[in-house]
């Protein structure tokens, strides 16, 4: 994995997969759809992280809930765009057994807190400053979103963010809430 400076945000993760996704997006093929076409569900890897208020949060203790697990960073422009949309989705389906979990990968929690002072979110923010969970999930693009069913299986994956992806998230969540 290589770190490079990006025009849109101050820093962006770039990998072979990210470059291929970008080329597909530029050629008019939706990179998100491409990523989904080869996707095979897998068991969500359990982890424990601290929330912004210092409490432990363990993924496995939330079985029975449909979860949108979103990896983001304060330096990521698309992440900043996406957070309010994820918050709206969280509110829309929260009473039906759904939650959004934001996993921040900034080394310093203050960077995440500064951004969250500008962007209002109510869903739990988990701090992964050492990138242990990001490594566990092989995060190669920012943001990366996984949607986990009630039994703890990752059923959808969305790499990056472009306007309109929130419709895909909504579709995936509604489908899993019906099961």
């Amino acid at each position: 994995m290589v770190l490079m400076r990006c025009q849109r945000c101050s820093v962006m993760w770039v990998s072979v997969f990210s470059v291929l996704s970008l080329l597909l997006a530029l050629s008019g093929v939706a990179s998100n759809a491409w990523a989904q076409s080869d996707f095979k569900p897998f068991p969500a890897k359990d982890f424990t992280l601290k929330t912004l208020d210092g409490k432990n949060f363990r993924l496995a203790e939330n079985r029975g809930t449909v979860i949108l697990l979103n990896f983001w960073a304060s330096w990521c422009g698309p992440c900043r765009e996406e957070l309010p949309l994820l918050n709206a989705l969280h509110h829309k389906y929260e009473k039906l057994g759904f939650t959004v979990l934001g996993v921040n990968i900034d080394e310093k929690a203050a960077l995440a807190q500064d951004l969250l002072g500008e962007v209002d979110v109510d869903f739990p923010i988990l701090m992964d400053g050492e990138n242990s969970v990001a490594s566990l999930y092989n995060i190669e693009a920012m943001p990366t979103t996984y949607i986990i069913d009630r039994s703890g299986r990752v059923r959808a994956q969305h790499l990056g963010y472009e306007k309109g992806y929130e419709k895909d998230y909504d579709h995936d969540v509604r489908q899993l809430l019906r099961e």
Side-chain angles (χ1 to χ4, degrees), residues 113-174:
Q113 290 170 327
D114 288 348
L115 175 60
L116 294 171
E118 301 170 23
V119 179
D120 187 32
V121 297
D122 302 306
F123 55 83
I125 301 295
L126 311 176
M127 302 308 298
D128 188 25
E130 295 178 7
N131 291 302
S132 59
V133 177
S135 293
L136 184 67
Y137 277 81
N138 298 313
I139 301 304
E140 296 181 353
M142 278 289 121
T144 293
T145 301
Y146 293 102
I147 301 178
I148 303 169
D149 67 17
R150 295 180 195 273
S151 66
R153 292 189 52 80
V154 175
R155 300 276 295 275
Q157 165 185 286
H158 301 273
L159 304 173
Y161 173 75
E162 292 181 21
K163 289 185 190 289
Y165 280 12
E166 63 276 5
K167 292 175 186 171
D168 295 336
Y169 303 159
D170 190 273
H171 174 267
D172 294 341
V173 168
R174 275 187 289 124

Side-chain angles (χ1 to χ4, degrees), residues 28-97:
V29 177
S31 61
N32 204 38
W34 179 73
Q36 284 289 90
S37 67
D38 292 337
F39 182 77
K40 294 190 181 2
F42 62 91
K45 298 171 184 171
D46 191 26
F47 62 84
T48 301
L49 287 174
K50 296 263 186 215
T51 62
L52 269 178
D53 58 4
K55 296 179 184 169
N56 281 336
F57 182 96
R58 183 170 179 212
L59 184 65
E61 292 174 356
N62 290 275
R63 290 257 163 78
T65 302
V66 174
I67 296 171
L68 185 148
L69 183 65
N70 177 261
F71 290 85
W72 65 279
S74 64
W75 47 260
C76 169
C79 300
R80 290 173 180 252
E81 255 183 88
E82 184 178 48
L83 285 171
L85 302 170
L86 295 178
N87 199 53
L89 189 65
H90 174 75
H91 284 286
K92 184 175 181 179
Y93 295 116
E94 181 179 26
K95 292 180 181 173
L96 299 174

Side-chain angles (χ1 to χ4, degrees), residues 19-30:
V19 171
L20 288 173
S21 296
L22 177 61
L23 292 173
L24 285 170
L26 291 174
S27 69
V29 177

Side-chain angles (χ1 to χ4, degrees), residues 3 9-13 73-77 80 105-106 115 142:
L3 288 177
C9 50
S10 61
V11 178
M12 178 71 101
W13 285 14
S74 64
W75 47 260
C76 169
R80 290 173 180 252
I105 65 157
D106 288 314
L115 175 60
M142 278 289 121

